[in-house]
Structure formats: structure tokens, C-alpha cells
């Protein structure tokens, strides 16, 4: 009730009761006159209230006179409230238009999803990049419309800390998408067009792969001639050492070219690794035997096979993984050191660790050692015959098997490289399966 209501009500009540009092005192029957005044006031209020109700409902005022007094004040207050609400609505609409215009001007797509993963809102870029219709697709489940298997898996997994790269709905386009949870189980889906970056990446990869392939033939020819030259009995002794050094350098170049080709092949592969059962225990035994046969190696070199389980995957890639890890351990561990390779299975999947008591890696550099050509001590790494590509190959090959590489290391104490494979990649060897079925009643 506004400040003007009480006076407006007050003088009418006072006037009515004063008139009733006067008439009652002059003519008698005071109670009746007071009752008549109260009734009059009540009827007047009822009539005015019905007018107010009609005005609120239809927007039409009955008459100026009916809106006098107390109701006139209420009318004025309501009109003011309505004007204020209209102004607030206008301001809100302007703000909304600005937000809509700015989000539509964004190059990145934005989609608001509710707790059920249904589309609540999207900007222009989202409809262009993801092929969505802002009108028709509202309320639809996002995976009914964006159906790429990687996207569906990303949504189903519910782990949104990383961005996902996937092909866009338009030909030859690539998107990077990420879901950002906020508020009450709502999510903001951000989609970026990364076609240019992906194209550049492809060009770089193809360039490296092409150069490596082109280098292979000349290197083979040079290596062949150098070998013949090294075997040549008439070669002057002064040339023996330079020829041997050239042979070592050509062998190094060959290893780099070989590793570059392997890495480009792994990077270019769009699908996960195949599902052929690979005898990893047998592979590790062979690598262990080869390591034992080396002239220079740590005295203590052990292999612990705790499971005979196999991995579904690509044999050549898995061989690269384990041979790179074991070779690194052998190269960075002194003769009095120890290397242990372990293969085991638990509810998290299959695991292979290669532990050494070698020179170790400074903690700050651990995240970087899987980068191409990154070496902790490049002089020493080259000396012991590394290409700088081994761990990059390991990381990529494991990713293609749904696996991960975990690294623990302390300088001067040693390192442990562990490969983790998901349970879905584990498979029992045929012999174990037949044994199990023999044992079945
Ligand atoms: P490289 O061919 O130089 O060994 P990698 O990619 O295999 O290339 O390894 C990168 C770097 O990581 C190595 O140069 C070395 O500094 C470090 N590193 C790898 N494995 C080990 C290990 N077992 N012990 C100590 N350092 C290691």
C-alpha cells in the first residue's frame, strides 16, 4: 500500500462516521446510522475493487470517478509498477539481444545442453559447424544429431577434461569439441573449426614421411658402398677409421629414417589398432633373450611373467613399444645396475613395466621426454645410439591400443616405464581357454 492510501481512506471513513454520528445524535438511532455508514463504505469499496479487478483483467477503466480516492492511489501505484516492469523488460530484451548478437558473432560454436543432454540453445556458429537447426533441433538429444562414433563415445564416457577432435558434418572439415559442465547439471558444448590446423598437421606429417622415404634409397646405396669400402683390403689404413665412422653415422641416419617412417605411419592411422591376439609374453621372452645375449649389459636382467594373457592389437607396434623401452633401459643403466621387466594383469587391465636402476630423469623433464627428438642429455643420448624418437613411438602406439604410458623416475636412482592396456584389449591364450573348457564339468 502506497503512502497516499491511508489519508485517502482515512478522510472518507472519518467523513462517513462523522455524518452517521451527527445524524444519530440529531435524529436518534445512532447504531443504525453507524451501521449504514459502514455498509455504505463497504459497498463503495466492493464496487471500486470490482472495478480494479476488471481493469487488471481487461485493461479497461470503468470511469474516472470510480478510480477516485483510495483506488485512485492504487491505480497510480499499479501504473507505476507496470511502467517499471515494462522498462525492466525492455532493458532485459536489449541485454538478451546483445548477448545473442555477440554469441552469434563468435567463430566458435556454443550449444547449451540440459541435464538430459538435450539442446536448450545454440548460436549461429554451432548450427553452421555442427549442422544443427536452431528452431527444429531444440529439445533433441545431442547424440541424435551429432552422431560421429567418437563424439557419442565422448558423451557416454562423461570425461570432459580433454578436447575431442572429430570430422565435421561438412566434407573435409575437422572440429575440436569440448563439454564444459556448469550450473545445475547443465553443459556448454564448445565447437571450434580446426580444419586449417589439421590440414597443416597432415602436410607436416606427409612431408616428413615423404622425405624419410626419399632418403631411404640413397642411404642404402651409401651404406652398401661404405661396407664394400670397409671390406677392401687395399684401403689405406688412414681411411679405416673415417670409413668406420661414416658407417656408424649412416647406420644412425638409417635408424632415424626408420623411426620417422614408423612414427608417421602411427600418426596417420585414423582407426585404433587391430584386434589380433598378440603373444606379448612370448615377445618379452624373446626381447629378454636378445638383451641377455648383448655384450654390454647390466648384470642383473630379469623377466617376471605373472600372466599368460595376450593383448589384442598390432604385433609390429607392440614390438616397437617393448623393444624401445627395454633398449632405453639397457642404454641408460650401467653394467652394475639392474633391469626388471614385469607383465601382469589385474581388474584395470594388462600392464608391462620396465624398471631400471639407471641414470634416471629429472622430474621437470619427465612430461617432455615423449616429445620428438627430446633428450635429457642429447650428447650422451646420441653417444649411446638414440634417435630421440623411441618414446614418441611408444606413446603413439599405446594410444592406438587404448593404452597409456606412465613414467616414474629419479635422477641417479633409476626409472620405471609402465604400459597400461585396458581390460577390453586382454585375451587369454588359446591353450588357457582349452584348458579351462577341459576343466569344466
Ligand atoms: P632416445 O632415442 O634418445 O633414447 P627416446 O625417445 O627413447 O629417445 O628417449 C628420450 C629421452 O628420454 C632419452 O634421450 C633419455 O634422455 C630419456 N630416457 C628414456 N629412457 C630412459 C631411461 N630408461 N633412463 C633414463 N633416461 C631415459
Amino acid at each position: 500500500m502506497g503512502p497516499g492510501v491511508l489519508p485517502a481512506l482515512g478522510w472518507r471513513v472519518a467523513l462517513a462516521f462523522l455524518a452517521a454520528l451527527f445524524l444519530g445524535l440529531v435524529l436518534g438511532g445512532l447504531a443504525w446510522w453507524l451501521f449504514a455508514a459502514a455498509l455504505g463504505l463497504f459497498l463503495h469499496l466492493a464496487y471500486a475493487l470490482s472495478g480494479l479487478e476488471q481493469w487488471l483483467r481487461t485493461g479497461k477503466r470503468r470511469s474516472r470517478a470510480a478510480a477516485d480516492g483510495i483506488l485512485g492511489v492504487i491505480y497510480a501505484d499499479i501504473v507505476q509498477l507496470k511502467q517499471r516492469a515494462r522498462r525492466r523488460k525492455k532493458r532485459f530484451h536489449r541485454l538478451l539481444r546483445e548477448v545473442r548478437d555477440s554469441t552469434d558473432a563468435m567463430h566458435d560454436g556454443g550449444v547449451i545442453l540440459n541435464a538430459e543432454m538435450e539442446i536448450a540453445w545454440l548460436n549461429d556458429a554451432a548450427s553452421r559447424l555442427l549442422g544443427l537447426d536452431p528452431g527444429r533441433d531444440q529439445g533433441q538429444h545431442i547424440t541424435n544429431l551429432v552422431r560421429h562414433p567418437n563424439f557419442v563415445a565422448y558423451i557416454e564416457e562423461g570425461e570432459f577434461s580433454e578436447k575431442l577432435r572429430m570430422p565435421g558434418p561438412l566434407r573435409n572439415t575437422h572440429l575440436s569439441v569440448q563439454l564444459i559442465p556448469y550450473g545445475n547439471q547443465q553443459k556448454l558444448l564448445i565447437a571450434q573449426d580446426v580444419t586449417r590446423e589439421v590440414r597443416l598437421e597432415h602436410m607436416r606429417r606427409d612431408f616428413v614421411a615423404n622425405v624419410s622415404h626419399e632418403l631411404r634409397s640413397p642411404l642404402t646405396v651409401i651404406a652398401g658402398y661404405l661396407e664394400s669400402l670397409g671390406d677392401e683390403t687395399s684401403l689405406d689404413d688412414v681411411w679405416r677409421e673415417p670409413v668406420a665412422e661414416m658407417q656408424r653415422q649412416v647406420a644412425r641416419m638409417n635408424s632415424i629414417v626408420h623411426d620417422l617412417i614408423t612414427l608417421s605411419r602411427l600418426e596417420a592411422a585414423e582407426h585404433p589398432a587391430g584386434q589380433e591376439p598378440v603373444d606379448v609374453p612370448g615377445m618379452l621372452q624373446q626381447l629378454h633373450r636378445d638383451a641377455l645375449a648383448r655384450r654390454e649389459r647390466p648384470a642383473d636382467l630379469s623377466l617376471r611373467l605373472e600372466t599368460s594373457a595376450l593383448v589384442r592389437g598390432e604385433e609390429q607396434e607392440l614390438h616397437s613399444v617393448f623393444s624401445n623401452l627395454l633398449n632405453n633401459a639397457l642404454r641408460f643403466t650401467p653394467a652394475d645396475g639392474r633391469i626388471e621387466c614385469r607383465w601382469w594383469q589385474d581388474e584395470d587391465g594388462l600392464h608391462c613395466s620396465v624398471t631400471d636402476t639407471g641414470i634416471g630423469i629429472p622430474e621437470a623433464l619427465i612430461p617432455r621426454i615423449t616429445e620428438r627428438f627430446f633428450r635429457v642429455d642429447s650428447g650422451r643420448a646420441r653417444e649411446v645410439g638414440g634417435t630421440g624418437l623411441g618414446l614418441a613411438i611408444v606413446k603413439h602406439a599405446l594410444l592406438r591400443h587404448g593404452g597409456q604410458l606412465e613414467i616414474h623416475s629419479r635422477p641417479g636412482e633409476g626409472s620405471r616405464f609402465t604400459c597400461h592396456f585396458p581390460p577390453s584389449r586382454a585375451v587369454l591364450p588359446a591353450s588357457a581357454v582349452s584348458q579351462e573348457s577341459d576343466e569344466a564339468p
Side-chain angles (χ1 to χ4, degrees):
M1 212 181 271
V5 166
L6 273 179
L9 187 65
W11 72 258
R12 258 167 214 268
V13 173
L15 203 69
F17 281 101
L18 273 177
L21 200 63
F22 175 75
L23 288 171
L25 288 177
V26 175
L27 304 174
L30 179 65
W32 282 109
W33 285 110
L34 285 176
F35 173 72
L39 189 67
L41 278 172
F42 172 76
L43 288 176
H44 172 74
L45 262 179
Y47 177 70
L49 278 176
S50 82
L52 177 67
E53 190 271 334
Q54 185 188 334
W55 177 56
L56 287 176
R57 189 160 33 83
T58 63
K60 276 191 211 123
R61 279 201 202 192
R62 211 176 267 161
S63 73
R64 277 250 146 244
D68 269 358
I70 169 181
L71 287 173
V73 178
I74 294 180
Y75 276 131
D77 282 352
I78 292 178
V79 167
Q80 217 177 12
L81 272 179
K82 273 188 166 179
Q83 276 172 349
R84 221 180 294 157
R86 212 174 297 137
R87 272 201 299 274
R88 210 175 302 142
K89 204 164 144 188
K90 253 193 202 160
R91 219 179 314 135
F92 177 70
H93 273 292
R94 202 176 330 121
L95 192 69
L96 202 66
R97 203 170 39 239
E98 275 170 25
V99 170
R100 205 184 313 133
D101 288 350
S102 57
T103 50
D104 281 345
M106 270 169 44
H107 294 296
D108 295 344
V111 183
I112 292 181
L113 301 169
N114 63 17
E116 278 75 45
M117 289 288 179
E118 290 160 353
I119 299 175
W121 171 89
L122 59 125
N123 68 353
D124 276 0
S127 70
R128 192 176 62 241
L129 293 174
L130 296 164
L132 302 173
D133 185 316
R136 197 191 51 210
D137 295 341
Q138 288 217 4
Q140 293 268 7
H141 198 281
I142 186 73
T143 53
N144 286 348
L145 302 164
V146 184
R147 309 171 78 123
H148 192 274
N150 294 359
F151 181 77
V152 176
Y154 178 72
I155 296 288
E156 279 171 2
E157 256 170 42
E159 167 52 51
F160 307 127
S161 55
E162 299 274 325
K163 289 184 178 175
L164 168 79
R165 283 261 174 112
M166 64 172 197
L170 300 177
R171 254 171 74 85
N172 295 328
T173 59
H174 296 270
L175 299 178
S176 162
V177 297
Q178 187 170 23
L179 231 71
I180 304 164
Y182 73 96
N184 187 19
Q185 290 196 310
Q186 281 148 307
K187 279 151 201 104
L188 176 64
L189 173 70
I190 298 282
Q192 287 173 309
D193 185 357
V194 289
T195 309
R196 220 177 103 78
E197 284 95 317
V198 170
R199 257 187 224 146
L200 281 172
E201 236 170 65
H202 283 185
M203 271 165 61
R204 177 195 56 78
R205 208 173 57 208
D206 291 350
F207 175 76
V208 173
N210 289 340
V211 170
S212 314
H213 274 290
E214 291 299 324
L215 282 175
R216 245 174 25 173
S217 320
L219 276 176
T220 313
V221 174
I222 295 171
Y225 278 120
L226 281 175
E227 200 181 338
S228 314
L229 209 59
D231 294 343
E232 184 59 57
T233 46
S234 63
L235 184 73
D236 197 331
D237 276 353
V238 191
W239 284 104
R240 292 241 167 254
E241 187 41 39
V243 168
E245 179 58 19
M246 278 193 272
Q247 279 179 323
R248 279 193 291 274
Q249 292 301 332
V250 166
R252 214 169 87 74
M253 278 170 82
N254 254 329
S255 316
I256 293 176
V257 165
H258 174 267
D259 279 2
L260 277 175
I261 292 173
T262 307
L263 197 53
S264 334
R265 209 174 285 148
L266 288 173
E267 282 182 325
E270 286 188 350
H271 300 290
Q275 294 282 343
E276 278 304 303
V278 178
D279 181 12
V280 173
M283 196 182 269
L284 291 175
Q285 276 171 327
Q286 183 56 49
L287 287 168
H288 181 234
R289 273 196 296 274
D290 295 347
L292 286 174
R294 287 193 183 205
R295 239 179 332 122
E296 283 176 28
R297 64 165 175 90
D300 190 347
L301 198 62
S302 61
L303 172 66
R304 264 170 68 192
L305 296 176
E306 294 172 19
T307 173
S308 55
L310 316 180
V311 173
R312 287 183 203 275
E314 308 263 348
E315 181 159 9
Q316 216 185 344
E317 290 178 22
L318 292 170
H319 189 269
S320 280
V321 169
F322 303 123
S323 66
N324 268 307
L325 292 183
L326 206 59
N327 274 331
N328 278 351
L330 286 162
R331 285 188 298 128
F332 294 105
T333 308
D336 59 351
R338 188 161 34 84
I339 295 178
E340 185 195 66
C341 179
R342 184 177 164 222
W343 177 241
W344 77 102
Q345 184 173 23
D346 60 22
E347 66 274 13
D348 295 329
L350 286 163
H351 316 272
C352 174
S353 67
V354 178
T355 312
D356 65 54
T357 57
I359 61 170
I361 304 155
E363 199 179 341
L365 300 181
I366 292 179
R368 297 202 56 196
I369 60 168
T370 51
E371 288 173 18
R372 297 176 191 88
F373 295 114
F374 185 85
R375 290 140 167 154
V376 174
D377 175 351
S378 50
R380 177 173 179 152
R382 248 183 238 121
E383 217 174 88
V384 290
T387 63
L389 295 165
L391 291 178
I393 293 176
V394 170
K395 189 174 126 183
H396 270 89
L398 282 177
L399 279 179
R400 281 186 25 80
H401 286 79
Q404 273 177 353
L405 179 66
E406 189 187 333
I407 307 168
H408 289 285
S409 189
R410 264 176 200 276
E413 288 182 22
S415 318
R416 174 180 297 139
F417 288 79
T418 314
C419 309
H420 301 288
F421 297 93
S424 56
R425 287 267 173 189
V427 56
L428 281 174
S431 55
V433 174
S434 65
Q435 234 174 19
E436 258 181 26
S437 55
D438 288 349
E439 280 164 17

